[in-house]
Amino acid sequence: MVQYSTIPQMFLQSGATFFADGHPVYMSKKDGTYSGISYPEFRELVECFSSGLVKLGIEPGDRVGIVSENRLEWVISDFAITGCGAADVPVFPTLTARQLEYTYNNCSAAIIIVSNKMQLAKILSVRAELPALEHIIIMNDEGTNPSENIHGFSDVIQLGRDAMPAKERTEQFERLASAVKPDDLCTIIYTSGTTGNPKGVMLTHRNLCSNINAVNDVVHVGTDDIFLSYLPMCHSYERIGGFYIAFGHGATTAFAESLESVRTNLQEVRPTIMTSVPRLFERIRNGVIANVEKQPPGKQKIFNLAVSVGKRMVNEQQMGSVSVMTKVMYAAADAMVFSKIRSLTGGRLRFFVSGGGALAYDVKEFFTMVGMVILEGYGLTETSPVLTVTRPDDNEIGTVGKPILNVEIKLADDGEILARGPNIMRGYWHNEEATRETIDSDGWLHTGDIGAYTKRGNLKITDRKKNLFVSSGGKNIAPQVVENVLLQSKYIDQVLLLGDNKEYCSALIVPDYELIKPLLSPTQSITSVDDLNSPAVVQAISGDINRVQRDLAKYERVRRIYVLPEAFTVENGMMTPTLKIKRAVVEHQYKAEIESLYESTAKEGF
């Protein structure tokens, strides 16, 4: 089994080992058709861009930002930056200008690579507050201005190409790549904390390569595999799962155009492996069910009978033995119903991998029932990120499997999951206090999640000790940070953010009742739920919320609200004596109202 110690070593060794037959490294859709790029072509672009960065002054240890959607230039940038010994700092392209300012000021980025003019405008609006920033590179080659050190991506490639003959350029790249050591910083990934500004997770080459090396202990990935990648590569989960693991084992990665186009791209690419977050699986299932509900009663009856048989099959599988009768019935259900559902993925899919958030039991049950394998993983950005994964031969629903190779997991006295291994981050950038709070003196990283083991020895996440949401799209959201922003609205007295394992954020609002009164008609009351949730009141509060949340990332913004007729108090049991809102109590009290905030998306088609 191939083992890597640094990302540049993987880039060079995997290319020579796995891509010699000429199958494409990456595939992108252009003019309506997917086309690929071979390793020799790709390597030349990486070498030239890396040489261009060196000409612009990048040295080992420098930080280079990436603000872009997934595309070929993203992976070129990553391999070029790490290949010359620098560290990249990728972020979600949905971040606001102020969030970008904080991130790139905090890490003192010398160069920032952006995808287009919109991202360029964000950086230019805060450039005066980024004293370390020397150059900006734009992938689309638009809005360039050499006099202000704003360069086109192709111009930097040409700069590197013109710097020296091809043979010397290759020698320089290999010399710089071989100088990178396993414990050198590879990347800084900023992740939200429960309060305050995001923290920069420092991941070394050893951290990341330990995850890459461990994958074949779980499943085999090879040169015949094709990945379809739609999750942002700045996310640590996709960085490993849909990028490094694929490349490091000789697989081809095709870039999806967007989340909305995934269904079409699945049919075009026909992948064998795909990483995803729960949101996609929810959309596929909801889309199937919505389509069935449009069918004649006869077809609905056949579907429902197949589901009944499928659930019986899954239940017996989980118990460890499937009866002959169930197998016969399932074969019929599969031929009539389930095979048609599987065709939605292109017909070659070996398995999905789900991560970045909890996958609901009923969603995984549905996919297992129709014959699609989902391997569920668990981890954090701070753990590079994978800690555990379910195995194909031990795929227990409701669990996240067993630890991967070289990772230790133990449960603290209070049930908190602790992890130790070569994948544990170096620490938080320029934040030793937060590092000490997260990694103890014995090297155990405290995940903030509560867990337990099943009888089969698989880990089950039972609760969240840390006050941090993970959306169904895999984004980390710090509720207290967002709530503090919302409290800037004149209409809001108290607020509880919602959105854990949901597609978007919503909020329960306790308003300033005196300010709300003028919005009500003479016959309406501030003690009436219906009156408080009338269009006039909801529109006024929502409008003011949109004003104060402009600098939040899109996935942090509140999309729907429910206005409450009473405040959270100690007396009604919704606050502690120290005046902290009891989230569990409030969510139980208003369970129906919370469900109503998400009902409109329950039938969304895939």
Side-chain angles (χ1 to χ4, degrees):
M1 184 170 64
V2 178
Q3 297 282 299
Y4 305 111
S5 60
T6 70
I7 297 303
Q9 180 199 28
M10 180 189 76
F11 175 76
L12 296 172
Q13 190 173 335
S14 180
T17 304
F18 296 122
F19 292 103
D21 63 358
H23 74 277
V25 187
Y26 294 103
M27 296 174 64
S28 302
K29 191 174 181 181
K30 187 176 181 180
D31 298 327
T33 305
Y34 270 96
S35 59
I37 183 171
S38 68
Y39 178 75
E41 295 174 288
F42 180 67
R43 175 166 171 170
E44 183 194 12
L45 292 173
V46 170
E47 288 184 2
C48 288
F49 192 69
S50 186
S51 175
L53 292 176
V54 172
K55 288 292 289 183
L56 292 177
I58 287 298
E59 298 179 350
D62 284 346
R63 277 76 59 200
V64 179
I66 303 176
V67 190
S68 172
E69 307 76 13
N70 288 8
R71 52 193 290 178
L72 184 64
E73 290 86 352
W74 202 107
V75 292
I76 291 172
S77 298
D78 180 82
F79 281 132
I81 293 164
T82 57
C84 62
D88 58 24
V89 188
V91 299
F92 291 103
T94 53
L95 293 189
T96 65
R98 288 301 168 195
Q99 290 171 319
L100 293 173
E101 176 199 341
Y102 172 79
T103 298
Y104 291 129
N105 228 337
N106 186 254
C107 70
S108 301
I111 292 178
I112 299 176
I113 303 167
V114 300
S115 58
N116 53 42
K117 289 179 73 173
M118 182 180 74
Q119 303 300 341
L120 174 64
K122 293 181 191 177
I123 299 298
L124 291 179
S125 70
V126 295
R127 188 172 189 175
E129 284 72 54
L130 298 172
L133 181 60
E134 297 177 3
H135 299 276
I136 303 172
I137 300 171
I138 183 164
M139 294 177 180
N140 282 2
D141 292 334
E142 53 186 0
T144 60
N145 189 339
S147 65
E148 295 186 9
N149 287 338
I150 304 173
H151 315 277
F153 196 87
S154 61
D155 294 331
V156 177
I157 288 177
Q158 193 61 46
L159 177 67
R161 184 176 282 122
D162 294 340
M164 60 190 74
K167 184 174 182 295
E168 293 180 20
R169 185 174 62 245
T170 295
E171 291 173 350
Q172 173 185 269
F173 183 83
E174 292 180 351
R175 183 175 64 255
L176 290 171
S178 64
V180 176
K181 304 304 179 188
D183 290 322
D184 288 347
L185 183 63
C186 179
T187 189
I188 304 175
I189 300 177
Y190 280 77
T191 184
S192 300
T194 56
T195 59
N197 289 312
K199 299 187 290 289
V201 177
M202 295 187 290
L203 299 178
T204 66
H205 292 267
R206 186 188 305 278
N207 293 153
L208 295 166
C209 287
S210 70
N211 254 206
I212 299 166
N213 294 334
V215 69
N216 273 354
D217 183 55
V218 180
V219 291
H220 174 72
V221 176
T223 56
D224 292 334
D225 281 312
I226 300 176
F227 284 64
L228 179 64
S229 174
Y230 81 95
L231 296 175
M233 286 185 170
C234 59
H235 193 292
S236 60
Y237 166 44
E238 185 67 5
R239 178 85 165 266
I240 281 289
F243 178 13
Y244 287 158
I245 284 175
F247 187 95
H249 294 87
T252 297
T253 297
F255 297 112
E257 296 169 277
S258 66
L259 173 62
E260 289 68 30
S261 69
V262 166
R263 181 174 184 175
T264 300
N265 298 154
L266 276 165
Q267 297 288 333
E268 295 168 326
V269 174
R270 302 179 64 231
T272 60
I273 301 173
M274 186 171 174
T275 57
S276 183
V277 290
R279 179 183 175 188
L280 177 67
F281 304 123
E282 293 163 4
R283 291 185 66 170
I284 293 174
R285 184 194 62 170
N286 292 344
V288 169
I289 293 172
N291 183 58
V292 169
E293 290 176 348
K294 298 174 184 176
Q295 302 302 313
K299 288 190 174 181
Q300 291 189 39
K301 185 176 181 179
I302 292 173
F303 177 81
N304 291 332
L305 285 172
V307 167
S308 177
V309 172
K311 287 186 175 182
R312 175 174 168 173
M313 166 69 91
V314 172
N315 183 60
E316 291 183 10
Q317 282 179 338
Q318 294 295 298
M319 296 296 290
S321 177
V322 181
S323 69
V324 174
M325 179 60 70
T326 299
K327 290 179 180 178
V328 171
M329 294 170 64
Y330 182 83
D334 186 66
M336 290 188 294
V337 177
F338 299 146
S339 61
K340 296 177 177 62
I341 297 174
R342 288 199 301 275
S343 68
L344 294 173
T345 66
R348 294 194 301 190
L349 194 76
R350 294 204 290 128
F351 58 86
F352 284 109
V353 180
S354 179
L359 180 64
Y361 186 99
D362 61 331
V363 175
K364 185 166 181 178
E365 179 188 51
F366 176 85
F367 276 81
T368 305
M369 175 180 70
V370 302
M372 284 192 262
V373 177
I374 299 179
L375 304 180
E376 190 169 2
Y378 165 68
L380 298 80
T381 301
E382 290 87 343
T383 61
S384 302
V386 185
L387 290 172
T388 69
V389 181
T390 53
R391 271 52 172 182
D393 59 350
D394 187 18
N395 200 353
E396 186 177 6
I397 300 177
T399 77
V400 292
K402 295 179 175 68
I404 63 170
L405 192 68
N406 295 326
V407 169
E408 297 178 77
I409 297 287
K410 76 173 183 178
L411 303 181
D413 292 340
D414 62 356
E416 183 179 7
I417 300 167
L418 310 183
R420 187 167 66 180
N423 60 323
I424 302 301
M425 67 171 180
R426 178 191 291 179
Y428 294 113
W429 178 264
H430 289 175
N431 196 336
E432 293 182 7
E433 180 181 355
T435 301
R436 286 194 298 269
E437 290 173 356
T438 304
I439 304 175
D440 65 27
S441 57
D442 292 324
W444 290 101
L445 181 137
H446 294 240
T447 67
D449 292 315
I450 305 297
Y453 285 105
T454 66
K455 291 180 180 179
R456 285 159 60 173
N458 291 310
L459 183 65
K460 181 174 183 146
I461 311 301
T462 60
D463 204 351
R464 190 180 300 280
K465 182 176 179 179
K466 58 186 179 181
N467 187 24
L468 188 68
F469 291 167
V470 180
S471 72
S472 66
K475 304 290 191 350
N476 287 342
I477 301 168
Q480 186 175 338
V481 173
V482 178
E483 287 164 356
N484 287 339
V485 170
L486 300 182
L487 286 170
Q488 297 174 34
S489 169
K490 63 181 180 180
Y491 292 114
I492 299 177
D493 186 47
Q494 294 173 305
V495 59
L496 188 75
L497 189 75
L498 309 164
D500 199 19
N501 292 321
K502 300 295 185 182
E503 184 175 345
Y504 57 84
C505 288
S506 60
L508 297 179
I509 302 293
V510 175
D512 183 320
Y513 295 107
E514 290 302 311
L515 286 178
I516 293 301
K517 281 182 180 179
L519 301 174
L520 302 172
S521 70
T523 59
Q524 291 180 311
S525 166
I526 60 172
T527 61
S528 165
V529 169
D530 290 339
D531 293 345
L532 284 174
N533 287 278
S534 66
V537 174
V538 171
Q539 287 172 15
I541 297 176
S542 297
D544 208 40
I545 284 176
N546 288 336
R547 176 185 62 83
V548 300
Q549 67 178 0
R550 283 179 300 188
D551 282 339
L552 292 177
K554 186 177 180 180
Y555 58 83
E556 295 173 313
R557 296 173 190 167
V558 168
R559 282 172 50 179
R560 300 190 69 186
I561 64 171
Y562 193 93
V563 187
L564 302 177
E566 68 171 333
F568 306 135
T569 66
V570 176
E571 290 72 23
N572 63 20
M574 296 188 197
M575 296 192 82
T576 68
T578 55
L579 303 182
K580 294 183 178 68
I581 297 174
K582 295 181 179 179
R583 175 173 291 277
V585 173
V586 174
E587 290 183 348
H588 177 75
Q589 175 73 23
Y590 294 106
K591 181 180 179 181
E593 290 81 0
I594 292 170
E595 289 177 352
S596 73
L597 293 173
Y598 294 95
E599 280 178 355
S600 64
T601 60
K603 300 291 186 183
E604 277 189 1
F606 169 57

